[in-house]
Amino acid sequence: MMAINIQYVKMKSSESMSQYVTEKLKKLDEHYDWLIRADVFFKTEKDPSEKGNICEIELSLPGPKIFASSNEKNYEMAVKETISDLNSQLKKRKAKFTKQRISS
């Protein structure tokens, strides 16, 4: 089970957002049992396109860390987009791991 560290940058923390992102990250952890830690950052910035709700996630795992960030109209959308991006990166990493194991 990976450790999950959630930080709210210059904004109030939200128990519901913490639970939401934790639930989504646990699903990733079930698929990729080699994840070590997730650092999650929620930020708000003024954005003329009505976005400005930012979710950044950095995953620690064997090899280089994986990072993704999304800027959306609400935090739920930002979390979904960020986790989707991380999942794509993890699939590529898993394929690389598998290829290395087969060739050695």
Side-chain angles (χ1 to χ4, degrees), residues 7 19 50 52 63 82 84-85 89 91:
Q7 294 181 32
Q19 285 178 331
E50 295 180 21
T82 304
S84 173
D85 188 2
Q89 293 181 55
K91 280 180 186 169

Side-chain angles (χ1 to χ4, degrees), residues 3-39:
I4 300 171
N5 175 27
I6 302 169
Q7 294 181 32
Y8 294 86
V9 181
K10 296 181 182 173
M11 59 184 283
K12 281 178 25 179
S13 61
S14 162
E15 190 60 40
S16 61
M17 275 315 302
S18 294
Q19 285 178 331
Y20 181 77
V21 74
T22 299
E23 190 179 295
K24 297 287 183 191
L25 286 168
K26 281 183 179 174
K27 286 181 183 170
L28 267 189
D29 193 35
E30 288 170 13
H31 284 83
Y32 308 101
D33 59 356
W34 31 269
L35 297 176
I36 300 165
R37 191 174 91 218
D39 290 309

Side-chain angles (χ1 to χ4, degrees), residues 34-37 59-66 90 93 97:
W34 31 269
L35 297 176
I36 300 165
R37 191 174 91 218
L59 293 179
S60 298
L61 55 146
K65 290 181 178 181
I66 291 178
L90 286 166
R93 180 73 63 92
F97 274 158

